[in-house]
Amino acid sequence: MDYLMAFIVGGLICVAGQVLIDKTKLTPARILVSFVVAGVFLRLIGVYDWLIKIGGAGATVPLTGFGYNLCKGVEKAVEEKGWLGIFTGGLTAAAAGITAAIVFGFLVSLFFHSKSKK
């Protein structure tokens, strides 16, 4: 049942993104930033915690989950370090994911070469 709920929650987040792409004139970059901000906002009002509880990885993997992770890291750092945590908490919380993206991106670039579109 956990896999099904993760699929449903993640799928609904992706559907929301696809609707924004198809029905608005927003650029992909603005949509991506909107998803990160939505994750922060939903964390602040307490909705995203519930979404993660029912959807698991379906809620934490998309960009809204990245925003949630940043917000959670800032909240924790502010509790521990005071206002200085505003500047350090988000990066500390997201460091593992960012590092993994860089390392795996580098490893893939060693084996595959990009080709220009004609």
Side-chain angles (χ1 to χ4, degrees):
M1 191 64 173
D2 290 339
Y3 294 123
L4 178 63
M5 290 308 294
F7 179 78
I8 290 170
V9 170
L12 289 174
I13 292 171
C14 291
V15 165
Q18 192 64 49
V19 168
L20 289 173
I21 290 169
D22 292 343
K23 300 295 182 183
T24 68
K25 292 184 179 183
L26 292 172
T27 63
R30 289 187 180 180
I31 293 170
L32 295 176
V33 170
S34 299
F35 271 43
V36 173
V37 171
V40 171
F41 179 73
L42 292 174
R43 162 73 174 150
L44 291 175
I45 63 173
V47 173
Y48 215 79
D49 292 317
W50 172 80
L51 199 58
I52 288 174
K53 191 175 186 176
I54 65 164
T60 58
V61 172
L63 278 174
T64 49
F66 181 69
Y68 163 83
N69 194 26
L70 290 175
C71 184
K72 190 172 148 186
V74 168
E75 287 176 346
K76 181 179 176 187
V78 167
E79 287 176 8
E80 294 173 358
K81 300 176 184 175
W83 290 104
L84 186 60
I86 292 173
F87 303 108
T88 61
L91 291 176
T92 302
I98 294 170
T99 302
I102 292 170
V103 168
F104 290 125
F106 174 72
L107 291 175
V108 167
S109 73
L110 294 176
F111 298 104
F112 300 99
H113 302 287
S114 62
K115 297 175 187 170
S116 61
K117 293 182 180 181
K118 291 184 180 185

